[in-house]
Amino acid sequence: MGRMQRPARVVAMAALAALVAACGGLTPGSGGSSSSATTASSTSSAGSSSATGSASGSDSASGSGSASSGSAGSSGSGSASSGAPAVPTAVPTDTIELKMAFTDSPDMTKALADAFHAKYPNITITTQYTQFNDYVKSLKLTMSSATPPDIVQYNAALKDLSAAGLIKDLTPYEQAYGWDTSFPKSALDMLRVDSTGKILGTGKLIAVPAGLSLVGLYYNKTLMKKAGITAPPATLADFEADLEKAKAAGLTGLSVGSLDTGGLHLWGSLLNVLWDPQAQRDWVNGKAGSTISTPQALQATQKVGEYASKGYFPSSANGTSENDSATAFAQGKSVFHINGNWAAAQLAKALGDQVGFSVMPPATAGGKAVGNGFSVSYAVSAKTQHPEAVAAFLNFLQSPEATKIEAEGGFLPPNAKAAPAATGVLGDLVTANQKVVGDDGLIPFQDFAAPAMLDALESGLQSVIGGKEQPQAFLDSLQSVWSEYHS
Amino acid sequence: MTTGNAGAAQAAVLDEGVASVAAPAARRRTGLHRRQWSALLYLAPAVLLYGLFVLLPALHTFWISLFSWDGVTLASWVGFDNYRRVFTEPLLRSSVLHALVLILFFAVLPILLGLVLTAILSRHRRRGMSAFRVIFFLPQIVPLVAVGITWRWMYADDGAVNQLLRAVGLGSLTQAWLGDFDLALVAVGLVGTWTLTGLTTMLFLAGAAKIDTALFESARIDGAGAVREFFSVTLPALRGEIGVALTVTTIAALASFDVVYVTTNGAPGNTTTVPGLLVYRLAFTDGKVGLASALAICLTVLILLVVLVINTLVGGQDRR
Amino acid sequence: MRATRGENVVGYLLLALMTVVTLVPFASILLASLHAPGTLIAGLSIPTSPSLDSFRRAWTAASFGRLLINSAIIGICVVPLAVVLATLAGYALAVLRVPAGGFFFRLFLLGLTLPVELIVVPLYFDLRSIGLTDTYLGVVLAESALFLPFGVFWMRTHFRTSPRELVEAAQLDGAGSFTVLTRVLLPLAGPAVSTMAVLFFMWSWNQFLLVLILLQDPTTRTAPAGLGFFVGQYTSDIPVLCAGTLIVILPIFVVYLLFQRKFISGMLQGAVKG
């Protein structure tokens, strides 16, 4: 390639341009299916140097697959959210098989699928589990393939795909089913995205929640006693004192696995309690002018490095996966563990009454309950052949049957009133969830801020833990990823 | 491609000088030259498939590399800006650097080890060599993903490597190898050494077996010891094999993906990122398809350059 | 040359050492896989009561049956396609007088050094636009194309070394170029073709990056790609993870043992994976 001579390259490019014009699907910009507008704009770019093109074609893919709601107009901006045509809410009666890709809580997901099948025996849902890191990595590829799963667990990557027309706009179903009243407003608003796919909280609904998630502090009561800790920490200072006590007693304070996620939950939770929740939300949601280069974020990052150097968590953290760190806690190898509610079922099974859960202790006594959380929610492929069956499943998520399963899975169900009373760590979770919702303290995960953010967070936090990067440099790198995406 | 035989490429280049002189004469004698256009029919299917699935995508990569494109929405022309980024952004630059470091472990070390083993083993025929050969080739036929998983477990906190260190009283050295900033790249590199040393050794032994025994005899009559014998007889004779081994293993280092993907995925920090990993990550998760393409082009140019240099260094004097 | 006793001992000691170094990793996963699922093990440890439960667990958890069949289908399609095309092209370049033959040959030579990374990005978008991602056909065509440079080179080399007198004699008898290939050259090319075939099969079986991207549907994934996803799910369950790894290794291992001579001769002539 590199040694190809100049005339040859010109010829090759001309040939390529001709070919592009012929097949219309080869240049960047054409997305999946091609439209004549895309081809025209990209072919012209072969001659001139500007190829920004018009906004057309950005929704070219939405024309494929099933008959989609809204007109496939050429403006590409929110056509469906207003005045959407009515969609049927009758559950189909023919035999239907739906595919569902997900990454959180295999047991709960399977139970939901089975319960739905029990209610509507003609509809079967096949679930496909993928571990979180691989799930995020492959999600774009999966959803833009020719045969995507019908239902897909929501992740930030879906925002971009929705802008490309690959994710179904659920607003018409929201209106037909009346989800705006049967689901909590705050939970649905988190799942709205504008037509650019970059601004959250407004625009079309692209997913429906099965339960709210929350990251917090798990503690092992037996080991706490052994270390001389009498109660779960009430403030961050208490927490650090407890970690010191654990160390003095020869125990591992925290179980952290940063091999695949960089210890994201530890950092995120510290950030949550140290920085203003609304500022954090703005940053994640991409509000113009937001920055993470703040003294509070710096303090949170410094603490991560400090905990590592003080030996509050094992030096092998960078060689331990997230899953392994949860397993280690489940095996009684550490006093504390910061993780999401999705781990509750597994931990309760292993540790029984020994394990408890609380929100991350606030910076000052009596501070607000805050925590990283989102919802386990499900979006729909624009290519699904069975939109009515899928919508019926989404509607099923707030039914009493589903509510029971969601609560048992450790989530705060969308229909909280129908949730059964819970005990043990699951009861702790409900309490914590309600506190956080009551204090309006739920903060979406930091990696949602930009597609490349997860990688930047992972490698950066590993470096902070390994003492290889200064906290400020880490924050600057995050901000540059943010700026590049939101520019 | 990487799966193909780069060594053959090198041999082919050596071969060309001879071929271009000898072949036309031979062909003229066969009298087949009259059917030249029908001969294209034999060639066409291969050229077509190769062109459509390799050459055209390669050109297309170059084309995409001139755009800023997230893979879903419209692309915008940025000219050579993506190339500027490959050379200036630390993340991308360091990935190329890591690949160059891997050459040490994938190419240099296996070749040195192979030469040492050859020096000791080649002087005499041994029984049972064919059985050893079957074993030494084993790492070559196993999927690299499986090799990666195997070593991930070997290197784990309670894996065999640490177990071995404890057994020999070096317990203080035990650690999570793949999680250490200074050692992770070395650890990944040594997986390459493990995979490729069997190959280089067998390659050199096969080459040494072809050496005329008279050369050894005369060296011995001159009073050469084992060491001098190796440097004056064996090593010069292995020139071609070393070139092949160097080409193959260097490409393996530069284009590595599988092992890194399953062992560290670039971690800790970005200490083990390699270009292949970033091409995949940038294009399919980070939504920077143009940048990924530019990196892929740079990687390819680097490989072509290295192959060229190796050919010049090793092949130069073999051209008759 | 006869070895002195000392040399002999040193030589065998070295061979033994290298054998151990080569085999320990395999032994490590084999021993681990014989433990019950979920067992916490440390390094090389012999299971007190060996069981195949981990294999059963891995087999069902990752549907390895399906994955192995997918790999086999792709391999079985790639081999004949690539072999036939490579043989025809190698024959044309070695024996026939092809217009611009030198150019075409160089084009194929170039392909020997191009990394998969170079083509995989546009290949994905191009194949997707014509509906060939998530299909066996797309992967079969792409892999065959990837293997062609080696195949063409290999067959060309072989045909160039075939005795020219036979070709000439056949031509004097009035044989056409196709007859020369099928009746005269191919019967002698058995070893070369079969060596190439086993190498193609191995490369196809072991291909990772390409299938990781081109096959997203879990039901079409190949065994190595499935293993790549499996490792994320079973990081903490070493016995099951190791069992899964062995399941993927085993088929190619059996093929290797069956055709070891071909593999080794092929690889010694420089045909190695990268």
Side-chain angles (χ1 to χ4, degrees), chain A residues 256-278:
Chain A
V256 175
S258 50
L259 174 68
D260 48 358
T261 58
L264 203 54
H265 294 319
L266 170 63
W267 176 78
S269 298
L270 288 167
L271 188 70
N272 291 158
V273 296
L274 290 168
W275 191 20
D276 173 48
Q278 191 53 45

Side-chain angles (χ1 to χ4, degrees), chain C:
Chain C
M1 285 178 280
R2 269 183 306 126
T4 64
R5 205 182 169 82
E7 267 187 318
N8 227 340
V9 171
V10 170
Y12 277 111
L13 274 181
L14 264 176
L15 286 171
L17 179 72
M18 205 171 147
T19 305
V20 169
V21 171
T22 307
L23 291 182
V24 158
F26 291 110
S28 156
I29 54 170
L30 181 64
L31 287 176
S33 69
L34 294 174
H35 287 80
T39 314
L40 292 173
I41 34 182
L44 295 162
S45 63
I46 294 156
T48 43
S49 53
S51 82
L52 293 178
D53 283 354
S54 293
F55 285 91
R56 278 187 211 107
R57 178 76 59 86
W59 184 268
T60 47
S63 331
F64 272 116
R66 179 77 246 167
L67 297 175
L68 294 177
I69 290 171
N70 291 338
S71 280
I73 290 174
I74 289 171
I76 286 167
C77 293
V78 164
V79 171
L81 179 65
V83 162
V84 168
L85 295 195
T87 306
L88 290 177
Y91 171 62
L93 289 174
V95 179
L96 305 178
R97 194 176 151 85
V98 189
F103 167 75
F104 285 120
F105 180 60
R106 267 156 226 274
L107 213 56
F108 279 114
L109 270 190
L110 180 74
L112 289 170
T113 52
L114 300 179
V116 181
E117 284 93 337
L118 175 67
I119 59 160
V120 77
V121 171
L123 202 55
Y124 167 74
F125 290 104
D126 296 348
L127 290 185
R128 195 183 71 188
S129 68
I130 53 174
L132 280 185
T133 45
D134 287 332
T135 62
Y136 298 130
L137 182 63
V139 175
V140 167
L141 291 176
E143 283 187 2
S144 303
L146 283 175
F147 304 159
L148 272 180
F150 170 76
V152 171
F153 176 78
W154 178 264
M155 290 315 294
R156 175 182 174 271
T157 310
H158 171 78
F159 286 133
R160 280 167 74 98
T161 56
S162 304
R164 221 147 252 294
E165 303 76 41
L166 286 176
V167 175
E168 284 167 15
Q171 280 160 359
L172 286 180
D173 290 349
S177 58
F178 192 68
T179 317
V180 170
L181 175 63
T182 52
R183 293 281 160 78
V184 181
L185 291 175
L186 275 184
L188 296 172
V193 170
S194 54
T195 298
M196 181 172 69
V198 293
L199 290 176
F200 282 173
F201 183 80
M202 175 180 81
W203 292 337
S204 169
W205 188 272
N206 291 350
Q207 182 54 252
F208 182 61
L209 178 57
L210 193 71
V211 292
L212 186 69
I213 291 165
L214 294 187
L215 298 176
Q216 288 304 314
D217 185 346
T219 56
T220 57
R221 243 175 236 156
T222 63
L227 187 61
F229 280 93
F230 190 66
V231 64
Q233 290 172 40
Y234 283 85
T235 46
S236 10
D237 200 334
I238 294 292
V240 174
L241 182 60
C242 290
T245 308
L246 282 171
I247 290 174
V248 176
I249 291 179
L250 206 61
I252 194 68
F253 178 67
V254 170
V255 173
Y256 172 63
L257 286 188
L258 289 177
F259 298 101
Q260 36 161 308
R261 273 166 207 280
K262 302 219 163 290
F263 271 104
I264 291 174
S265 75
M267 287 189 285
L268 279 184
Q269 287 167 58
V272 262
K273 65 178 173 181

Side-chain angles (χ1 to χ4, degrees), chain B residues 189-215:
Chain B
L190 287 174
V191 177
T193 311
W194 176 79
T195 314
L196 292 165
T197 301
L199 174 78
T200 55
T201 309
M202 291 301 117
L203 207 57
F204 298 155
L205 278 177
K210 281 185 270 179
I211 300 173
D212 187 354
T213 45
L215 288 173

